[in-house]
Amino acid sequence: MSRAAAPLDPVPAGDQPAAPRHVAIIMDGNGRWATARHLPRSAGHERGVEALRRTVDAAGELGIKYLTVFSFSTENWRRPPAEVNTLFALLKAYVQRDLGRLKAEGVRIRIIGQREGLPPDIASLVNKAELETSGNTRFNLTIAFNYGARDEILRAVQAIARDVKAGVRDENISESEFAAYLDTSGLPDPDLLIRTSGEFRISNFLLWQAAYAELLFCDVLWPDFGRSHLEEALKSYNERERRYGAVTPGAG
Ligand code: IPE
Ligand code: IPE
Ligand code: MG
């Protein structure tokens, strides 16, 4: 019997580093945070950017090397145009305001998601942020913007089909070759996936990459999230046993 391609990249069970290498966060609850305070939803999104700043700083200090945050989904286009505009304007303002500092602090910025359909000013800002920080290695901040995992997987399949047709590659493809066609090419899989706001769903985030991520759902609304919540999440992560389908060494 031939051996199925095994995802051998993850750290073997029982041999885990103290901090997860890659943490991914679904930053949810901005709207409810604002509504609870009789504020417009946009105020929640603004405070959400502050939470992002706190979290990026804390993640670096806590020894995390990769942080990936879900900022705007392909499904978020279903929201009223004014809210979509606010979310685009906030991404632009965040990159414009923080790029210099992040660059100086050794942060490599990547944006994942569908680039087509982004307004040209955002598309060029995103390219600039990626280019200017491409030599940085201390910390990796990836922003999922106009991102949907099904869309990402479909685009990968389309690119593979094009390459096969052009004779660039044969049709046999391994897991690692497939992963190289995804937006997250070059990034390790997330070890820990956090969702704030008390919702228990993935909402089309990193469906391929999070196959063996530890999931953590917390009640805090994203604008309230900070270092202490991240520390709590890491504590919970450290108490888990990742088995990757194997059995615990020495069990039974
Ligand atoms: C997260 O907060 C931000 C985005 C999804 C863009 P929400 O805007 O989803 O806030 P809730 O879930 O309505 O409270
Ligand atoms: C997921 O949150 C997307 C982002 C955080 C960007 P949503 O608020 O859009 O997810 P649903 O609609 O509750 O599943
Ligand atoms: Mg939400």
Side-chain angles (χ1 to χ4, degrees):
M1 194 176 77
S2 77
R3 197 165 173 269
L8 291 177
D9 178 38
V11 182
D15 184 19
Q16 293 166 40
R21 183 155 65 136
H22 184 174
V23 174
I25 306 182
I26 301 173
M27 310 185 291
D28 196 20
N30 295 351
R32 278 163 284 169
W33 184 94
T35 303
R37 286 161 182 77
H38 307 288
L39 295 168
R41 288 175 61 86
S42 58
H45 296 314
E46 282 164 21
R47 293 294 288 265
V49 178
E50 295 305 318
L52 174 62
R53 287 197 176 98
R54 287 196 295 275
T55 306
V56 170
D57 289 346
E61 286 159 21
L62 292 168
I64 294 160
K65 290 285 281 184
Y66 296 84
L67 178 71
T68 299
V69 292
F70 203 2
S71 168
F72 186 87
S73 77
T74 45
E75 288 72 34
N76 287 147
W77 286 104
R78 294 174 183 153
R79 296 187 179 199
E83 181 165 348
V84 172
N85 286 341
T86 296
L87 292 164
F88 275 69
L90 283 173
L91 174 83
K92 190 174 166 185
Y94 172 71
V95 176
Q96 277 174 335
R97 199 178 131 185
D98 286 37
L99 177 57
R101 185 175 63 85
L102 293 169
K103 189 177 162 186
E105 289 175 354
V107 177
R108 179 166 180 182
I109 301 172
R110 293 178 179 86
I111 316 291
I112 56 170
Q114 170 82 257
R115 293 282 166 100
E116 251 168 65
L118 285 185
D121 57 336
I122 301 241
S124 67
L125 188 63
V126 156
N127 286 339
K128 177 176 136 104
E130 288 188 330
L131 200 68
E132 288 193 6
T133 63
S134 61
N136 282 348
T137 55
R138 189 185 66 80
F139 185 79
N140 295 272
L141 172 63
T142 301
I143 302 172
F145 193 84
N146 200 21
Y147 174 88
R150 287 186 171 184
D151 173 69
E152 177 194 34
I153 290 168
L154 266 185
R155 285 187 284 107
V157 170
Q158 288 160 357
I160 292 165
R162 278 196 300 274
D163 283 355
V164 169
K165 213 167 161 191
V168 177
R169 61 155 303 117
D170 69 62
E171 68 276 18
N172 295 319
I173 187 155
S174 66
E175 287 192 7
S176 62
E177 285 168 326
F178 182 78
Y181 279 87
L182 295 171
D183 295 348
T184 49
S185 173
L187 296 173
D189 284 345
D191 301 295
L192 173 63
L193 173 58
I194 300 171
R195 181 174 189 144
T196 59
S197 90
E199 306 291 357
F200 298 100
R201 54 180 174 264
I202 303 295
S203 299
N204 203 14
F205 191 41
L206 301 178
L207 295 181
W208 170 277
Q209 300 86 341
Y212 266 103
E214 293 296 324
L215 306 182
L216 189 127
F217 299 96
C218 66
D219 285 336
V220 61
L221 300 173
W222 176 251
D224 291 327
F225 195 88
R227 188 190 173 104
S228 63
H229 303 100
L230 187 59
E231 282 173 346
E232 279 294 303
L234 297 194
K235 202 164 153 250
S236 167
Y237 173 83
N238 282 323
E239 284 162 4
R240 308 210 187 164
E241 187 195 352
R242 303 182 73 185
R243 288 192 285 275
Y244 302 103
V247 288
T248 309

